[in-house]
C-alpha cells in the first residue's frame, strides 16, 4: 500500500456510532493506518439517526457517550494524526426506509455533542451552556427529550 501512492492521495475516515466504542481497537487501527503510510485520519460520529431505523426522537445520552469515547481515542493518538471529526445526522438508514429523527428533534443532541467536543468533555457547565444557547430550562440527556 505505501508503494502504491494511495496514502498520499486520500485520508481514511473511521466510522463508529456506538456508545461503547472500543477505544483501544480504534487506537490500534490508527496505528495500522500510519504504518501503511497514511499521515492523517478522520473520525465519523453521529448526533442523530444512528440508533434505530424507525426512531422518532433522539436519545442524546447515546450520542454524547459516543463523542466522549472519540475524545478518549483522540487523547491516545498523536495530535498531528487527527485531521478532524465529521458529525453525521442521518435522516434514514437507506433509501427504502422511512424518515427517522428529523433535524429539529436532533438539534439539542447536536448542540450537546459539539459543546462536548469543543470543551473536551461534558460537565454541568457544558450542560448549562447548551441550555442557555438553546433557550431551554432543562436539558435531558439520559431520557428522551420532551
Amino acid at each position: 500500500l505505501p508503494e502504491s501512492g494511495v496514502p498520499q492521495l486520500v485520508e481514511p475516515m473511521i466510522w463508529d456510532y456506538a456508545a461503547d466504542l472500543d477505544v483501544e481497537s480504534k487506537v490500534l487501527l490508527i496505528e495500522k493506518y500510519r504504518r501503511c503510510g497514511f499521515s492523517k485520519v478522520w473520525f465519523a460520529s453521529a448526533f442523530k439517526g444512528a440508533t434505530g431505523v424507525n426512531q422518532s426522537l433522539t436519545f442524546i445520552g447515546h450520542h454524547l457517550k459516543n463523542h466522549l469515547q472519540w475524545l478518549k481515542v483522540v487523547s491516545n493518538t498523536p495530535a498531528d494524526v487527527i485531521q478532524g471529526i465529521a458529525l453525521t445526522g442521518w435522516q434514514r438508514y437507506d433509501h427504502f426506509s422511512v424518515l427517522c429523527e428529523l433535524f429539529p428533534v436532533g438539534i439539542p443532541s447536536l448542540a450537546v455533542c459539539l459543546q462536548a467536543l469543543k470543551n473536551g468533555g461534558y460537565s454541568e457547565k457544558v450542560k448549562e451552556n447548551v441550555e442557555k444557547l438553546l433557550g431551554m430550562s432543562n436539558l435531558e440527556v439520559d431520557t428522551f427529550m420532551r
Side-chain angles (χ1 to χ4, degrees), residues 14-119:
I14 303 170
W15 302 72
D16 198 325
Y17 308 143
D20 61 350
L21 177 149
D22 184 345
V23 172
E24 186 177 330
S25 72
K26 295 299 182 263
V27 171
L28 292 173
L29 181 58
I30 293 165
E31 289 173 9
K32 184 183 278 188
Y33 280 132
R34 290 188 72 193
R35 285 193 308 273
C36 291
F38 294 97
S39 61
K40 300 286 186 186
V41 176
W42 289 82
F43 302 143
S45 64
F47 69 91
K48 73 173 197 71
T51 57
V53 68
N54 61 353
Q55 192 78 26
S56 296
L57 301 174
T58 303
F59 183 49
I60 297 171
H62 172 90
H63 302 289
L64 174 59
K65 288 175 186 173
N66 174 255
H67 286 88
L68 296 177
Q69 291 299 95
W70 277 120
L71 285 171
K72 290 178 185 177
V73 173
V74 168
S75 70
N76 287 289
T77 304
D80 64 334
V81 176
I82 309 302
Q83 187 71 322
I85 184 168
L87 278 77
T88 64
W90 298 101
Q91 287 287 135
R92 61 178 68 188
Y93 274 57
D94 60 52
H95 295 290
F96 304 106
S97 297
V98 298
L99 294 176
C100 63
E101 295 182 61
L102 300 180
F103 185 67
V105 301
I107 290 174
S109 182
L110 175 60
V112 166
C113 294
L114 286 171
Q115 286 295 310
L117 291 173
K118 178 181 175 186
N119 290 284

